[in-house]
Amino acid sequence: SLLHRAKTLRQLPGIRFAEINGRRYPARVPNDPLYEGNQQWHYEAINLPQAWDITVGDESVVLALVDTGVLLDHPDLQGRLLPGFDFITDEGTANDGDGQDDDPDDPGDSTFGNSSFHGTHVTGTMAAASDNGVGVAGVTWNCKVLPIRGIGVSFGSVADIVEGMLYAGGLPNASGTVPDQPARVLNLSLGGVAGEAESAIERAAVRDLIGVGITVIAASGNQGSSEPAPPAFYSETISVGAVDATLGRASYSNFGETLDIVGPGGKRFRDDNNDGFDDGVFSTKGDDSGDAIEFTYNVLEGTSMACPHITGVIGLMLSVNPDLTADEVRSILLGTAIDLGDTGRDDEFGYGLVDAEAAVIAAQNDDIPELPDDPDDTGDPEEPVLLLSTEDVDLGLVSKTEVVSVSNGGTGMLNIFNVTPLTNDGGDWLSVTTSGSDDTTNVTAIEISIDRERLEPNFYSGVLLIEAVGLTPVLISVEMEVPEITFEGTIIVEAIDQRTAEVVATTETTDLENFDYVFNALPSGRYTLMAGTDFDGDGEICEDDDLCGMFEDIVTVVENEMTGDLDFLVSPPAP
């Protein structure tokens, strides 16, 4: 009747306008300084402010992350965190003086004061305290975060991470405890290497979580590769790639047929949107370069940064419709995404860029779209596909072994019946062993070994010929160099404790011993190995004109166990 009356009034002389008197609402904009200063460009890119006009989240919705832990005392995370757990079992990796415990605080993932505080950055994007006049805003303002520590110094083991995943879902785990309120969404801003084979226990954990209604979000990886990486390539997870400020695929972002959706991952040291700020993702952070950890804010880039945008949006969806199943969450999230690239789903962007407003509206209306071209519904190829973690192995100047992971990217059994080493010079310095199996392949790892001892200084190359039933043979190229030893004298080798940065033990070796070195009775622990000359005799190696070198990995020493093959190059300083 109102529409009819308005239409009638418009026909009368002297009436300029006649229409229904509609309503307007204030746009919900947080007063956090770094949001108001336009440094969080990534929120407008996904229509998040429009979603905030519908909901800013509900504290009954729990979002979990398995990461490096969280700076629990960060001022912009106060009131946002639930009690969590630290699942790191190795004390050296944990870097907090103990192993598994109920303290998920992040002590830093470096022993030299340049820690990433990765988990704190991810948490801030998910749910920093918002509209509080401090720092940054989070995607959700009210949803709670369950912090779980599974990554320590340099890495986290799959076994520790899996226990943290199970804990997040309230499932039986190594801690013997479960959270008071399990999560509805699990953020995994972590992953293996592109092309790596799946982990059976990791995928089983994902399936268990999906089975109890938890949505699992995983970063596609930052190798810029079309080969998938676990856990993002499991069909049960939602695989997240990254776009930069131009909404193009970020150059580092992995892509391919298993990619589901993209979110803002940013690109450091650029200003493609001309707003005067770095195009990375701004969030909560820490700085341990001084005597104590300082609570800060900073930018990072990566698919790790894209993931919490997706996790937070799902938190908003569940806040308006807590009855959504994991499958329904997936359908809404992907079905409402902003299409980028080729029309429909494509390997560069998946279904497109997450659209917070559209996803929340669809969730509120219980509008579940269909995904007609979901790659998870189209079936696998009709034959096995041989996937390798790499097809080019460079063993450099000192390495003696390298392991190449094998997986089956198709269906049916992958049956590798022969792996033949071939050298360009006809020598027998290259050898290979195969190991492992699972339900889809009879080989999961190929270990490449070289014998340097009998070789003259030179460059060497060869290939591994891999033959599998019904498939075209595949080659892995192998290269290495035997350097010429030109130094005659004494090299000093030091074992440096990773936790204290102190020299725990010293030994010496010479050219007469072929520079072989031995530490006797080195205490259990994690060490950095450095070696060099002391030409001026002051007791300090690696000074000025000294030769110097460092073993590339951290060495774990266990009591009563021998450790060998720790070869590395000692060379003059760079000019």
Side-chain angles (χ1 to χ4, degrees):
S1 61
L2 288 176
L3 287 171
H4 178 72
R5 291 184 62 187
K7 185 176 181 180
T8 301
L9 286 171
R10 283 199 294 269
Q11 310 307 314
L12 298 177
I15 300 297
R16 186 176 180 187
F17 299 109
E19 61 184 15
I20 293 175
N21 184 17
R23 297 176 180 178
R24 298 291 181 267
Y25 304 91
R28 200 149 193 181
V29 177
N31 61 11
D32 305 86
L34 293 172
Y35 180 86
E36 289 185 324
N38 200 36
Q39 294 187 58
Q40 291 187 282
W41 60 269
H42 33 101
Y43 289 168
E44 289 190 7
I46 63 172
N47 295 326
L48 185 57
Q50 294 89 326
W52 285 336
D53 287 339
I54 302 169
T55 181
V56 291
D58 190 289
E59 64 179 13
S60 67
V61 178
V62 176
L63 315 175
L65 75 160
V66 179
D67 215 294
T68 63
V70 176
L71 290 172
L72 304 181
D73 293 329
H74 196 293
D76 221 2
L77 298 178
Q78 297 311 294
R80 311 296 299 114
L81 306 174
L82 297 173
F85 206 89
D86 179 354
F87 280 91
I88 301 176
T89 53
D90 180 76
E91 292 186 13
T93 304
N95 200 32
D96 60 358
D98 54 25
Q100 257 184 32
D101 58 29
D102 60 0
D103 181 11
D105 193 45
D106 188 351
D109 55 7
S110 169
T111 57
F112 298 102
N114 60 342
S115 296
S116 70
F117 295 105
H118 186 275
T120 299
H121 194 279
V122 170
T123 299
T125 300
M126 286 165 56
S130 305
D131 204 31
N132 63 342
V134 176
V136 295
V139 175
T140 69
W141 300 8
N142 292 326
C143 298
K144 296 291 187 179
V145 174
L146 179 64
I148 301 168
R149 192 159 182 253
I151 300 177
V153 177
S154 302
F155 66 91
S157 77
V158 170
D160 291 347
I161 290 168
V162 164
E163 296 300 331
M165 293 166 60
L166 297 173
Y167 174 84
L171 300 173
N173 62 87
S175 72
T177 65
V178 293
D180 292 337
Q181 186 177 356
R184 291 294 307 276
V185 192
L186 174 60
N187 188 96
L188 298 176
S189 288
L190 51 82
V193 178
E196 181 181 341
E198 73 172 56
S199 159
I201 62 168
E202 186 178 55
R203 188 163 195 178
V206 171
R207 287 171 171 167
D208 289 345
L209 293 170
I210 297 295
V212 294
I214 296 169
T215 301
V216 182
I217 305 300
S220 68
N222 299 330
Q223 294 87 42
S225 173
S226 62
E227 293 192 51
F233 71 49
Y234 306 145
S235 61
E236 296 85 0
T237 65
I238 293 178
S239 173
V240 179
V243 295
D244 57 26
T246 70
L247 303 188
R249 179 176 68 84
S251 58
Y252 53 77
S253 180
N254 288 358
F255 55 100
E257 62 182 8
T258 63
L259 183 68
D260 291 310
I261 197 168
V262 293
K267 196 74 175 74
R268 296 291 320 274
F269 312 114
R270 288 170 57 172
D271 183 20
D272 289 332
N273 57 4
N274 298 313
D275 62 0
F277 298 107
D278 189 302
D279 284 347
V281 172
F282 223 109
S283 188
T284 46
K285 200 79 164 46
D287 180 357
D288 60 354
S289 60
D291 294 334
I293 296 174
E294 179 183 356
F295 303 123
T296 62
Y297 303 86
N298 212 331
V299 288
L300 290 177
E301 67 178 19
T303 54
S304 284
M305 285 58 258
C307 275
H309 288 83
I310 310 299
T311 299
V313 169
I314 296 175
L316 299 180
M317 292 163 56
L318 293 170
S319 296
V320 298
N321 189 346
D323 295 328
L324 290 173
T325 67
D327 285 342
E328 290 171 337
V329 166
R330 180 189 185 90
S331 294
I332 291 175
L333 188 73
L334 305 187
T336 60
I338 302 167
D339 194 11
L340 301 176
D342 295 339
T343 301
R345 193 212 162 272
D346 60 72
D347 287 353
E348 289 279 303
F349 304 99
Y351 283 91
L353 177 65
V354 61
D355 187 333
E357 179 188 25
V360 169
I361 291 174
Q364 189 176 44
N365 296 334
D366 213 20
D367 181 11
I368 315 297
E370 294 184 2
L371 302 176
D373 56 349
D374 187 343
D376 294 330
D377 294 334
T378 59
D380 294 320
E382 296 180 354
E383 60 182 19
V385 176
L386 173 60
L387 298 179
L388 301 170
S389 56
T390 182
E391 294 181 8
D392 297 287
V393 174
D394 186 350
L395 289 155
L397 296 164
V398 294
S399 296
K400 295 180 180 178
T401 62
E402 179 81 14
V403 175
V404 177
S405 298
V406 179
S407 59
N408 183 1
T411 58
M413 191 66 179
L414 174 62
N415 186 358
I416 295 175
F417 64 87
N418 198 24
V419 180
T420 306
L422 303 168
T423 60
N424 288 355
D425 63 350
D428 61 356
W429 52 267
L430 177 63
S431 60
V432 62
T433 56
T434 60
S435 61
S437 64
D438 58 30
D439 293 339
T440 63
T441 177
N442 66 332
V443 173
T444 57
I446 299 173
E447 181 173 352
I448 302 167
S449 301
I450 60 172
D451 180 3
R452 295 177 174 272
E453 302 301 327
R454 298 174 291 108
L455 297 177
E456 296 295 325
N458 208 339
F459 289 93
Y460 293 85
S461 62
V463 296
L464 298 182
L465 175 67
I466 304 174
E467 297 174 281
V469 174
L471 301 182
T472 302
V474 175
L475 296 178
I476 298 178
S477 67
V478 181
E479 295 181 346
M480 65 97 169
E481 179 183 356
V482 177
E484 183 176 358
I485 297 177
T486 58
F487 174 71
E488 296 179 356
T490 300
I491 297 291
I492 300 170
V493 190
E494 297 178 343
I496 303 169
D497 191 297
Q498 265 285 293
R499 296 174 61 188
T500 65
E502 296 179 352
V503 177
V504 173
T506 302
T507 188
E508 295 183 359
T509 183
T510 70
D511 57 295
L512 298 178
E513 302 166 281
N514 200 31
F515 295 112
D516 290 338
Y517 64 97
V518 176
F519 288 104
N520 291 313
L522 191 62
S524 296
R526 289 165 58 81
Y527 296 93
T528 296
L529 299 184
M530 291 194 67
T533 55
D534 180 19
F535 287 143
D536 60 9
D538 66 351
E540 297 290 336
I541 65 172
C542 295
E543 295 181 313
D544 298 331
D545 296 328
D546 280 330
L547 305 182
C548 190
M550 182 173 68
F551 188 63
E552 61 181 353
D553 297 322
I554 304 302
V555 177
T556 299
V557 174
V558 179
E559 186 176 359
N560 297 324
E561 290 187 11
M562 296 292 291
T563 301
D565 289 333
L566 304 178
D567 298 332
F568 57 101
L569 186 67
V570 175
S571 61

